[in-house]
């Protein structure tokens, strides 16, 4: 059909442009052989064929652009970066063939949703999708044994920096330039149009402990330091911290903790109190300890502990920071705890406060 259409366009073009070339050609070529063609064309309803040619042209005129777009889509920068079988730009349906349905969906600081995949916290992966259901961010604190960008999962911070040169020291968002901390807990690199964060375990020889990949456009469009406060974002951070904690425990051969909503309320009230009254402490302004607050809310426990974090942009950064703080790490990896409640809150500047209460009845 395509060839016939082009032939029709060619014949009509010759017919209507004949006055332009005929007088120059007749001196060299006997055009009498065209007389039957003239008779045939005169017998046709030319208007009908012109209309058909116009319709065909309208149908195909956008096709080259569509083919170009498809070709470009196959070469989207960053689609070569693969993390545990997932690539930026992959369709959600492809991910679910590998990981199944998400165990949880929760709002993140980009005002998008983390889809959390795991099998009882094994093979833990968090994936974000754009409006076309294509991957635009991913995170895991259980990197597989396969290599990532030429690095093994026991690679050290020094090996990462040796491969990618110096990490990013500052990040511009809107009209503000943010200086990134240089505590050695993580490095940020711009690789193939993706921001890649390598998190390191300071207590395991500075080896890679987690990886986050975010499309450059997604990060650049997020112009503020923190997410927009909302009840949904509070719950998102809380569930993400809970899941991240269990994923870390599984890596270290420990049992999974159970979520406790009543203790989450206790934790949430403490985060709110710190955010409202602008302090950061395990002991509140009334001098009450975590144990006092748990007992006031009617909890009977044999073991209990509390982790606090403040100012991290996301639950991921909060968790990784807690894992690098020895006292908080001991709570996360304790064999004595069976349950966990998590509460978050935001102050007037949108700064997040995180409280984790661990306990065993």
């Amino acid at each position: 059909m395509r060839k016939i259409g082009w032939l029709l366009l060619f014949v009509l073009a010759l017919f209507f442009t004949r006055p332009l070339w005929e007088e120059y050609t007749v001196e060299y070529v006997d055009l009498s052989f065209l007389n039957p063609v003239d008779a045939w064309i005169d017998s046709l309803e030319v208007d009908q064929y012109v209309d058909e040619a116009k319709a065909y042209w309208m149908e195909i005129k956008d096709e080259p652009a569509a083919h170009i777009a498809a070709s470009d889509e196959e070469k989207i920068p960053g689609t070569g970066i693969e993390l545990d079988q997932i690539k930026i730009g992959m369709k959600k349906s492809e991910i679910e063939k590998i990981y199944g349905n998400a165990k949880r969906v929760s709002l993140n600081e980009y005002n998008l949703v983390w889809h959390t995949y795991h099998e009882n916290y094994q093979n833990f992966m968090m994936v974000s999708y754009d409006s076309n259901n294509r991957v635009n961010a991913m995170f895991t604190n259980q990197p597989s044994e396969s290599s990532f960008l030429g690095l093994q999962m026991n690679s050290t911070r020094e090996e990462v920096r040796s491969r990618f040169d110096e990490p990013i020291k500052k990040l511009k968002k809107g009209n503000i330039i943010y200086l990134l901390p240089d505590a050695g807990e993580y490095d940020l690199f711009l690789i193939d149009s993706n921001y890649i964060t390598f998190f390191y375990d300071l207590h395991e020889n500075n080896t890679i402990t987690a990886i986050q990949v975010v499309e450059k456009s997604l990060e650049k469009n997020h112009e503020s330091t923190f997410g927009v406060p909302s009840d949904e974002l509070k719950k998102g951070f809380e569930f993400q911290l809970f899941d991240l904690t269990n994923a870390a425990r599984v890596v270290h051969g420990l049992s999974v903790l159970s979520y406790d909503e009543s203790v989450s309320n206790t934790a949430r009230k403490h985060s709110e109190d710190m955010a409202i009254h602008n302090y950061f402490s395990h002991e509140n302004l009334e001098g009450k300890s975590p144990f006092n607050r748990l007992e006031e809310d009617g909890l009977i426990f044999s073991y209990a502990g509390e982790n606090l974090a403040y100012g991290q942009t996301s639950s991921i950064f909060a968790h990784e920071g807690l894992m690098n703080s020895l006292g908080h790490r001991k709570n996360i990896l304790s064999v004595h705890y069976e349950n966990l409640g998590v509460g978050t809150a935001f102050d007037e500047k949108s700064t997040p406060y995180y409280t984790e209460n661990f306990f065993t009845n």
Side-chain angles (χ1 to χ4, degrees), residues 211-331:
I211 299 170
Q212 177 176 271
V213 182
V214 179
E215 275 189 343
K216 179 181 178 181
S217 58
L218 176 58
E219 188 65 61
K220 288 295 186 182
N221 290 334
H222 182 59
E223 295 186 354
S224 61
T225 306
F226 304 117
V228 178
S230 67
D231 288 340
E232 189 177 1
L233 185 57
K234 283 183 187 179
K235 295 299 291 184
F237 280 172
E238 291 170 4
F239 283 127
Q240 290 154 27
L241 266 179
F242 175 77
D243 289 337
L244 289 164
T245 298
N246 272 331
R249 286 176 63 86
V250 166
V251 168
H252 289 83
L254 299 169
S255 61
V256 170
L257 302 177
S258 298
Y259 182 78
D260 192 287
E261 180 59 37
S262 63
V263 174
S264 291
N265 288 333
T266 301
R268 196 174 301 119
K269 285 188 294 184
H270 187 57
S271 289
E272 291 171 352
D273 191 51
M274 290 189 294
I276 292 170
H277 296 102
N278 191 30
Y279 73 95
F280 184 65
S281 173
H282 290 287
E283 191 173 281
N284 67 18
L285 298 182
E286 297 177 356
K288 294 177 181 178
S289 71
F291 314 108
N292 297 144
R293 297 193 305 273
L294 289 169
E295 288 170 346
E296 278 190 353
D297 287 344
L299 180 69
I300 300 174
F301 55 86
S302 56
Y303 292 96
E306 181 174 82
N307 283 352
L308 300 180
Y310 155 75
Q312 292 85 357
T313 57
S314 72
S315 54
I316 289 173
F317 281 85
H319 170 76
E320 295 302 328
L322 290 169
M323 283 293 289
N324 276 325
S325 171
L326 195 55
H328 298 103
R329 181 189 184 94
K330 287 181 178 178
N331 277 336

Side-chain angles (χ1 to χ4, degrees), residues 40 55 112 146 284 300 341:
W40 173 68
L112 293 171
S146 59
N284 67 18
I300 300 174

